[in-house]
Amino acid sequence: MSINPPKSKAPKINISDIGKRCSALKESIVFSFEHLTENDEYNFNYFKKSNAELLKAYNSFMQVLSRLSKQSWNDLNMSSHRKGGDELLNIDIMESRFVNSLKHVSMDEKLHVIRFGNYRLFLKRGTKCRRVAQVLAFEFKLGTAYNHG
């Protein structure tokens, strides 16, 4: 005798409806970590030797995520990058080591750069769902991702 799993009661979603469902009634930013780099220099493994620094960076990052998740992309773009907004930078000005560590980006794209503490967060806006901020990488040591001069 075999046991049949219960039939799923979850509604079927048509793939063409994803964009509509994603943006329906909300404009706030949501985050995806699917394309976060695996290069330890540009993710939280950077701090594997210092738990105190890791905790400090992580807490600062959580604060920025909380703040950004209450904003729309328009709010973010309208704010100065020195006052919690973003800075849009071409990938071609980035350090090659940094660019090579990124997933699913092309050289003609721009990345959204957000300051948090003494660090930088690199985002790419989602293509299927425009509310999504794809978290790509971090710069924990100034100058390792791009020249700030």
Side-chain angles (χ1 to χ4, degrees), residues 3-149:
I3 299 174
N4 293 327
K7 292 185 179 180
S8 173
K9 294 181 182 178
K12 292 187 178 183
I13 298 174
N14 184 334
I15 206 78
S16 65
D17 290 339
I18 289 177
K20 293 176 197 166
R21 290 178 185 256
C22 169
S23 62
L25 304 175
K26 286 260 185 181
E27 292 185 16
S28 58
I29 300 171
V30 294
F31 298 90
S32 167
F33 294 84
E34 178 182 9
H35 301 302
L36 180 61
T37 183
E38 294 172 4
N39 183 318
D40 289 356
E41 189 173 356
Y42 305 112
N43 65 35
F44 278 98
N45 288 332
Y46 176 83
F47 296 107
K48 60 185 162 196
K49 293 181 181 173
S50 174
N51 284 337
E53 286 297 314
L54 170 63
L55 186 58
K56 179 181 167 189
Y58 182 76
N59 285 335
S60 184
F61 175 59
M62 293 310 293
Q63 288 174 2
V64 83
L65 276 187
S66 178
R67 179 179 55 80
L68 293 175
S69 68
K70 295 173 184 138
Q71 294 182 316
S72 69
W73 278 98
N74 190 47
D75 296 336
L76 180 63
N77 295 334
M78 296 301 287
S79 300
S80 162
H81 67 277
R82 296 185 190 277
K83 295 184 179 178
D86 69 338
E87 185 173 13
L88 211 52
L89 296 179
N90 291 324
I91 287 183
D92 62 0
I93 70 158
M94 309 277 176
E95 298 291 334
S96 60
R97 179 174 165 81
F98 175 74
V99 173
N100 292 336
S101 77
L102 300 177
K103 300 176 185 178
H104 302 283
V105 296
S106 61
M107 291 304 287
D108 62 341
E109 290 185 90
K110 294 183 178 192
L111 298 183
H112 297 267
V113 182
I114 312 288
R115 295 175 180 206
F116 67 104
N118 294 322
Y119 313 123
R120 304 292 186 273
L121 164 63
F122 295 85
L123 305 171
K124 176 180 164 183
R125 192 163 183 183
T127 53
K128 291 182 182 167
C129 178
R130 301 296 288 161
R131 285 181 61 198
V132 172
Q134 296 174 345
V135 177
L136 302 175
F138 301 92
E139 182 183 51
F140 295 116
K141 182 178 178 189
L142 211 60
T144 58
Y146 67 97
N147 183 340
H148 295 262

